[in-house]
Amino acid sequence: MLAYLLIVCVSFYIVSATLIRLVGEYLFNQKANDELYAAISLAAQAEAPLAARDGEALYALADRNSDDYSRVLVLDLYGVAQADSQSEMNGVRMSRREVATALNQGKADYGYYFVGDQSPTLLTGALTGNMISLYAAPIGREELMGVLVYLTRSEEAYRSLMTIQTKMLAWLGLVTVAVTLMSLFVSRWFTRPISELNEGIVEMANGDFSNRVKVRGKNEFAQLATAFNTMCDRLESLDKARNQFVSNASHELKTPLSTMKILIETLMYQDPMDPDMTREFLTDINKEIDRLNSVIGDLLTLVSIDGGEKPLDARPISVAELLSENMRRLQPLARERGIEMTLSVREQAVVNGDANRLTQVFYNLMDNAIKYTGRGGSVRVELSKKDRRAIVKVIDTGIGIPKEDQLHVFDRFYRVDKARSRETGGTGLGLSIVKQIVLLHGGHVGVVSEENKGSTFTVDLPEA
Ligand SMILES: Nc1ncnc2c1ncn2[C@@H]1O[C@H](COP(=O)(O)OP(=O)(O)O)[C@@H](O)[C@H]1O
Ligand SMILES: [Mg+2]
C-alpha cells in the first residue's frame, strides 16, 4: 500500500511541478517580452535629449511613461542617474547586474527582484515581498550613451503563479487522501481473505479441524478458501477415524484381557477346583490369548501397509496359482463345515504384485465366505479378465450382508453381527486389510450381497 501511495504521489508531484514551471515561464516570458520592448522604445526616445544633456526633457519623458506601478530612470555612461521619474536617485550611481550588462555589452537585459526589508526600494509603493522586474536597455544606436532603466511591479503574474501552485498543492493533498483511502480499502479487500485463511491455518496447526473459512465470490481466493475447507473436511474426518480406530483397537484388546482376568481370578480364589473345570478355564484363557494374538497381528499388518513400512515387492504373479494355493489351505476348514468349495478359471491372468500380500487378500475373502456360510452351502471362486484387468469373484451362498452394512464392511473393526463374528474368531480387520492391499496394487474391491441368499466379493487388479 505504501509503495502504491509513493508511486502515485511522486508522479503527481512531477507532473504538477512541470506544469507550474511551464505556466510560469509562459506568463513571465509574455510579460518580459512586452516590457522589454517598451524599455527599448523608451531608450530610442531618450537618445536625443540625453545627447543634448537636456535634463528637463529627460525627466518629462520619464514622468510621462511611468505611473504608480512603474518607474523610469535614465542613466549616463557611468550608470549615474540623469533623470528619475520618482526624483530620488538623481546623481546617484545605480549598480545592478542588468545595468552593467547594458553598459558593458550594449545589450538589453532584465531580471527580477523581491522587495526586502533591507534592500533599497526600487519602486515606491512596493511592499516587502513584492516582486519587481527590472529592464535595462542601452541608449544610442551608433555609440553607447547611457542606459534606460524601466522598473515594473510583477505582482499579477507572480500571484497567479502562486495561486496555481497552491491549487496544485491542494490537489496533491486531495489525491494523497483519496489514494490512501482507496489503497486502504483495496488492501483490506485483498488481505482480509488471506488473513482469514491464515487464522484458519493457525487453528488447524493447533489441532482444531472444525474451523471453516468463508468463501466469497469466485476469484482465486475463493478457490483457495474452498480448497482449504475441503482439506479441513478431510482432515477432520481422518482425525475422527483415527480416534475411532484407537478407541476400537483399545476395546478389542481390552475385552479378552478382562475375560482372562475374570477366569484367572476364579481359578485363584475358588479352591478346591475340580480338574476338568480347571482345564476348561485354561482352555478359555488360551482362546482369549489367541484372540489377542490375531488382533495384534492384524493391527501390525495394517500399520505396516499404511505406513508403507514394507514397500510393495512387485513381481508377475499368476492369479490362478495364487487362488488354488489358498483354496488348498482352506479346503479342510470348508470340508469340516460341510461347505463345497470350487475354483473356476475362465481365463489365465498375470498381475504385478506382492505374492504374500495378495495371498492375504484371497485368504481373507475365502475365509469369510466359509465363515459366513452355513452347512450345506457352497463357495465358488472365479477368475476372469476384462479390459486388461484380472477379475476375481468370491461367491458364497451364506447369510449375506444387509444393505446398510455393505458400505461399512471394509471399515476397521466393523462387524455386522458383533457377537457372532467374535465367536467365529474374526477381528473385524480382515476386510480393511483386503481393501488396503488391493488399493496398493491399483485395484478395486466391492461387494454385492443379499441377506440370507449370499454375498459376492469382487476384486479387480490391473494386469501386468
Ligand atoms: N462373505 C460374507 N458373508 C456375510 N458377511 C460377511 C462376509 N464377509 C464379511 N462379512 C461381514 O463383514 C464383517 C467384516 O469382515 P472382516 O473384516 O473380515 O472381519 P471378521 O474378522 O469379522 O471376519 C464381518 O464381521 C461380517 O459381518
Ligand atoms: Mg474376516
Side-chain angles (χ1 to χ4, degrees), residues 131-436:
M131 192 182 177
I132 287 167
S133 313
L134 191 153
Y135 302 89
I139 303 172
R141 241 161 297 171
E142 268 111 50
E143 195 190 337
L144 189 68
M145 288 155 60
V147 179
L148 185 125
V149 174
Y150 182 47
L151 291 155
T152 58
R153 273 160 72 169
S154 304
E155 278 321 286
E156 289 298 296
Y158 184 64
R159 205 170 292 138
S160 38
L161 197 64
M162 280 298 157
T163 315
I164 293 174
Q165 204 165 324
T166 23
K167 269 189 188 156
M168 285 284 188
L169 268 175
W171 274 109
L172 183 66
L174 214 73
V175 165
T176 310
V177 171
V179 167
T180 310
L181 286 179
M182 233 167 72
S183 42
L184 261 177
F185 180 73
V186 167
S187 67
R188 270 280 168 78
W189 182 266
F190 276 118
T191 55
R192 197 164 67 176
I194 296 181
S195 61
E196 269 183 21
L197 202 62
N198 198 33
E199 273 167 34
I201 291 171
V202 168
E203 267 176 53
M204 203 162 85
N206 290 336
D208 177 7
F209 300 119
S210 64
N211 206 43
R212 295 292 180 276
V213 177
K214 244 186 232 146
V215 181
R216 292 191 196 81
K218 277 200 163 78
N219 57 13
E220 281 82 356
F221 285 129
Q223 286 170 12
L224 198 63
T226 313
F228 176 79
N229 286 344
T230 315
M231 189 173 75
C232 277
D233 287 343
R234 299 218 35 200
L235 278 175
E236 198 178 17
S237 70
L238 268 179
D239 198 42
K240 265 191 200 139
R242 197 193 54 189
N243 286 340
Q244 186 74 40
F245 177 65
V246 170
S247 109
N248 284 340
S250 314
H251 181 75
E252 291 298 325
L253 296 173
K254 207 168 173 340
T255 316
L257 280 176
S258 309
T259 317
M260 271 156 64
K261 190 168 166 62
I262 292 167
L263 290 170
I264 288 170
E265 274 174 358
T266 319
L267 279 177
M268 275 164 71
Y269 301 119
Q270 271 212 356
D271 52 352
M273 222 182 188
D274 102 67
D276 279 352
M277 193 83 137
T278 311
R279 177 157 303 119
E280 202 180 298
F281 271 46
L282 286 176
T283 312
D284 285 349
I285 291 172
N286 198 33
K287 257 194 215 148
E288 293 302 324
I289 290 176
D290 286 344
R291 275 197 60 71
L292 271 180
N293 235 341
S294 54
V295 172
I296 290 170
D298 280 354
L299 279 175
L300 287 177
T301 307
L302 261 182
V303 168
S304 81
I305 299 169
D306 273 359
E309 197 181 281
K310 277 191 202 151
L312 265 186
D313 175 18
R315 267 183 216 144
I317 296 160
S318 157
V319 182
E321 258 172 50
L322 210 62
L323 290 175
S324 64
E325 191 186 300
N326 278 301
M327 184 83 87
R328 246 197 323 278
R329 283 169 63 195
L330 282 162
Q331 203 60 264
L333 181 69
R335 224 180 336 247
E336 184 191 307
R337 302 213 173 181
I339 292 166
E340 191 198 355
M341 197 153 73
T342 51
L343 171 64
S344 76
V345 178
R346 301 225 176 116
E347 273 170 288
Q348 284 290 346
V350 175
V351 298
N352 242 336
D354 182 326
N356 283 331
R357 296 271 185 238
L358 289 178
T359 298
Q360 265 176 308
V361 169
F362 299 126
Y363 185 92
N364 268 319
L365 291 178
M366 292 183 198
D367 177 55
N368 279 349
I370 296 168
K371 265 199 312 197
Y372 302 109
T373 300
R375 191 161 284 277
S378 70
V379 173
R380 196 168 85 244
V381 181
E382 274 180 22
L383 169 62
S384 58
K385 267 198 313 200
K386 197 184 173 194
D387 302 334
R388 294 198 45 77
R389 293 182 91 86
I391 316 258
V392 178
K393 284 186 197 278
V394 180
I395 308 156
D396 66 50
T397 57
I399 57 171
I401 304 168
K403 260 255 139 11
E404 64 269 24
D405 295 305
Q406 286 177 19
L407 277 175
H408 300 291
V409 288
F410 295 101
D411 292 352
R412 290 164 184 192
F413 293 117
Y414 194 87
R415 302 182 181 101
V416 176
D417 182 340
K418 310 260 176 271
R420 187 180 57 199
S421 169
R422 198 168 279 145
E423 217 172 82
T424 53
T427 59
L429 287 171
L431 284 180
S432 56
I433 292 174
V434 166
K435 188 178 176 185
Q436 290 289 49

Side-chain angles (χ1 to χ4, degrees), residues 61-72 85-86 150:
L61 177 75
D63 193 44
R64 213 173 37 243
N65 290 291
S66 62
D67 54 24
D68 284 352
Y69 294 94
S70 59
R71 180 180 183 177
V72 176
S85 63
Q86 282 183 6
Y150 182 47

